[in-house]
Amino acid sequence: MIHKIISPVPFPEGTVNSFIIKDDALSIVDVGTKTPEALEAIKIGVKNAGYQMEDIEQVILTHHHPDHVGWIDAFPNAEVLGHVYVDAWLRRDPLFIDSHYQFYIDRMKEEGVPEKYFTWAKKMTRSVEMLGERTLTGIIHDGDEIPGHKGLVAVETLGHAQSHLAFWHEEKKVMIGGDLLLAKISSNPLIEPPLNPKAKRAKSLLQYNASLKKLLTMPIEKLYSGHGDEITNVNELVHARLEKQNLRAMKVLHLLEERPKTIFEINMEIFPALYEKQLGLTLSQTIGQMDYLMDVDLVKEEQDENGVFWYVKK
């Protein structure tokens, strides 16, 4: 039994989905954004499903983004389960949180971003004010069966977030997919700091493509998404998204025909009307395309004496 609850978000998506699931345990997957409007919608949704907030025994999180973890505090009797990366956020681990600003500054330097845009480093660091005050009571790993939900297994699906999990029930052929695959829009593979500040950044687009390809190995009949409608044509949509991403990459490759360029130069050409307003998001997308083009051996990366990377068509 899956009962969907829709709550508003102050972001372009407009709404986000939570799911009440009832087996041996009564759980809710994802808990909206930390706004009064979202809390009211969630309370109404829980009531319409026949329960009270106090009845919920587990909060299960698909990933750490604020539109999915906002109201963990609203379920006083619930365990809170999620990925280890979510744990670092909710504990407000000082080493992890404090590493974010420098991580984004370092990336912008490598990308050839002019110093006047470095103020974006603070904007790209997610605010802990959007998080609840509770911490995880249990860590979910890839392949774990969710307590109280026999047959429901966690699938690590990184890319959109470094904490992303989907939940797959093989017998029922149903998946709760978070933001891995959305019906109307493509998820953004976001550049996020590693748990270990000394580690290299993850190649989010390559992770995301690999996560999408995992879906092709599962006979999913219905996928419940984090935003929008349920998806019943999973394989078809995955193939379409992968093909569209490849076409975008080929357009980016064309921009390197005449000379080597930096990420920032490419970014300005791809997103001339958007890059100043959404620098973090557009840089993530541009970095992703370069990672992809290097992975398929069409582009090479060269670093100059100032530490800036330049991209050269092979």
Side-chain angles (χ1 to χ4, degrees):
M1 173 64 183
I2 298 178
H3 180 90
K4 181 164 78 170
I5 298 171
I6 302 172
S7 60
V9 299
F11 307 118
E13 296 88 350
T15 62
V16 67
N17 299 329
S18 302
F19 300 98
I20 290 181
I21 52 176
K22 177 70 171 76
D23 292 299
D24 292 337
L26 178 63
S27 303
I28 186 168
V29 180
D30 291 341
V31 287
T33 311
K34 198 174 183 180
T35 66
E37 296 82 5
L39 180 58
E40 184 63 22
I42 292 169
K43 285 181 175 179
I44 292 171
V46 171
K47 185 176 181 179
N48 288 343
Y51 306 106
Q52 300 298 317
M53 303 291 275
E54 294 79 6
D55 297 333
I56 302 297
E57 297 171 295
Q58 293 180 144
V59 171
I60 302 166
L61 301 172
T62 62
H63 59 299
H64 70 283
H65 292 170
D67 51 336
H68 295 261
V69 303
W71 282 114
I72 52 175
D73 297 341
F75 302 90
N77 299 320
E79 300 288 310
V80 183
L81 310 177
H83 193 278
V84 65
Y85 194 99
V86 179
D87 182 57
W89 269 108
L90 295 183
R91 284 190 295 106
R92 292 158 170 79
D93 178 83
L95 183 64
F96 176 63
I97 298 297
D98 292 348
S99 73
H100 282 59
Y101 179 79
Q102 193 59 47
F103 172 85
Y104 289 118
I105 289 290
D106 291 345
R107 300 292 76 72
M108 287 192 284
K109 288 178 179 177
E110 292 174 351
E111 295 152 10
V113 176
E115 195 169 332
K116 69 177 182 178
Y117 293 110
F118 283 11
T119 53
W120 267 91
K122 289 186 178 180
K123 296 180 183 179
M124 291 189 287
T125 300
R126 295 185 184 276
S127 173
V128 294
E129 295 172 4
M130 299 290 286
L131 304 177
E133 297 298 325
R134 298 191 62 192
T135 55
L136 293 189
T137 56
I139 304 293
I140 303 174
H141 302 93
D142 183 50
D144 285 354
E145 184 175 75
I146 305 307
H149 298 280
K150 185 173 176 59
L152 187 65
V153 174
V155 183
E156 189 176 56
T157 45
L158 306 184
H160 173 67
Q162 292 304 306
S163 59
H164 204 285
L165 297 167
F167 303 101
W168 163 235
H169 200 294
E170 184 173 11
E171 183 179 338
K172 297 178 181 177
K173 296 182 171 55
V174 166
M175 173 175 279
I176 298 176
D179 287 358
L180 176 59
L181 187 66
L182 307 178
K184 301 297 184 184
I185 57 174
S186 297
S187 290
N188 295 307
L190 300 174
I191 300 299
E192 295 179 325
L195 272 179
N196 179 356
K198 295 181 180 179
K200 292 184 178 180
R201 70 161 176 88
K203 296 184 177 181
S204 300
L205 180 59
L206 300 184
Q207 288 179 320
Y208 181 68
N209 286 350
S211 293
L212 284 181
K213 289 174 183 176
K214 285 185 180 181
L215 300 184
L216 300 176
T217 69
M218 305 172 187
I220 303 169
E221 293 183 356
K222 182 178 284 189
L223 187 150
Y224 292 85
S225 293
H227 303 272
D229 296 334
E230 290 73 56
I231 299 168
T232 55
N233 60 333
V234 171
N235 281 21
E236 178 185 345
L237 189 55
V238 167
H239 284 299
R241 292 284 160 78
L242 290 171
E243 177 59 24
K244 189 174 182 179
Q245 187 270 306
N246 180 70
L247 290 173
R248 284 195 190 117
M250 293 307 106
K251 290 180 181 178
V252 172
L253 181 65
H254 182 69
L255 299 177
L256 298 176
E257 291 283 355
E258 296 181 1
R259 65 173 181 85
K261 293 177 182 176
T262 67
I263 289 289
F264 185 71
E265 288 177 323
I266 298 164
N267 196 58
M268 288 192 296
E269 292 188 58
I270 303 173
F271 303 105
L274 192 61
Y275 78 91
E276 287 191 309
K277 296 178 182 177
Q278 295 288 341
L279 188 62
L281 179 59
T282 59
L283 285 174
S284 279
Q285 293 193 21
T286 305
I287 293 167
Q289 300 300 354
M290 283 300 110
D291 286 343
Y292 176 82
L293 289 168
M294 286 190 290
D295 189 60
V296 295
D297 204 29
L298 294 175
V299 165
K300 64 179 180 178
E301 181 182 71
E302 298 176 349
Q303 193 170 24
D304 67 20
E305 65 276 9
N306 297 315
V308 176
F309 287 109
W310 295 81
Y311 296 89
V312 183
K313 183 178 179 180
K314 287 191 173 183

